[in-house]
Amino acid sequence: MIFTVAIDGPAAAGKGTIGRALAARFGFAHLDTGLLYRAVGAKGGDAVAAARALAPADLQRGDLRSQEAGQAASRVAAIPEVRAALVTFQRNFARRPGGAVLDGRDIGTVICPEAEVKLYVTASAEVRAHRRWLEVGGDEAKVLAEVRERDARDMGRADAPLKPAAEALVLDTSELSIEAAIAAAALAVEARLD
Ligand code: DC
């Protein structure tokens, strides 16, 4: 069975949590595509060369989840040649037999427009920054400024900007609990599997 769930949305909206829950529930493979860009950004040097040479071991680094790695990822992700180098791996993952969930910024719009289910998971910048701050601590106003900076870059870039796919189900987790968001996402998957 070929079945893709594409989940897009800004940082800290809950994409990863929803993606992992769907993968576990339906037995699909899961790919956090942000990790690819984080690994490219963390390698430093020539980002295009780093993307072309990206290897599984690069995704195992312990420092990829930091705020700095997120900002570096967002910067290299605006380079079209970096994005191009990562397309085939993501497309093959999306259409692997047995079903796949991918979360990122351009999965439903560019990587897999034929995805059976497309979700756009979002929340207000304040809510997302608060969640991030609970994880990383420090100055909440600075975390909010970084969230806004990353949103602006990811939504404003020329190549594959973050936006909802035309037919995406939008889940705004500002008010919705994560359990309710997972339940709504699971219903959308079940409706297409039937
Ligand atoms: O989802 P994340 O926070 O780990 O993503 C880090 C950055 O990588 C994000 O700010 C933009 C970029 N990214 C992207 O451009 N396209 C994707 N499919 C996933 C992430």
Side-chain angles (χ1 to χ4, degrees):
M1 178 199 53
I2 306 285
F3 192 100
T4 309
V5 182
I7 309 180
D8 293 306
K15 302 185 299 290
T17 308
I18 294 172
R20 280 189 297 277
L22 291 179
R25 178 130 157 199
F26 295 100
F28 296 164
H30 176 236
L31 179 66
D32 166 5
T33 65
L35 215 50
L36 305 176
Y37 294 91
R38 285 172 183 262
V40 170
K43 274 182 131 186
D46 180 350
V48 177
R52 288 181 181 152
L54 201 65
D58 297 325
L59 306 180
Q60 305 300 327
R61 292 174 59 135
D63 57 354
L64 296 183
R65 298 281 172 199
S66 70
Q67 286 280 100
E68 295 71 34
Q71 291 289 358
S74 172
R75 281 192 287 274
V76 299
I79 305 170
E81 293 84 354
V82 166
R83 306 197 70 80
L86 302 176
V87 164
T88 303
F89 174 74
Q90 295 175 86
R91 286 205 174 131
N92 289 343
F93 193 97
R95 301 317 262 172
R96 67 197 275 155
V101 182
L102 289 84
D103 68 76
R105 302 292 186 292
D106 63 340
I107 308 304
T109 50
V110 174
I111 297 298
C112 195
E114 70 275 35
E116 281 71 18
V117 175
K118 296 179 192 174
L119 306 173
Y120 189 80
V121 180
T122 188
S124 73
E126 289 76 12
V127 165
R128 291 184 288 118
H130 187 68
R131 285 182 193 150
R132 225 352 97 77
W133 173 74
L134 289 175
E135 289 169 13
V136 300
D139 177 357
E140 189 170 350
K142 187 163 170 261
V143 177
L144 176 58
E146 284 182 3
V147 160
R148 290 210 164 108
E149 187 192 332
R150 198 130 75 89
D151 283 358
R153 199 186 295 112
D154 295 346
M155 293 173 186
R157 67 183 178 222
D159 190 17
L162 170 63
K163 60 178 178 196
E167 62 282 39
L169 170 67
V170 177
L171 296 172
D172 187 330
T173 64
S174 307
E175 307 282 331
L176 202 62
S177 72
I178 200 67
E179 292 76 20
I182 290 169
L187 272 181
V189 173
E190 275 160 13
R192 274 309 297 263
L193 281 171
D194 282 348

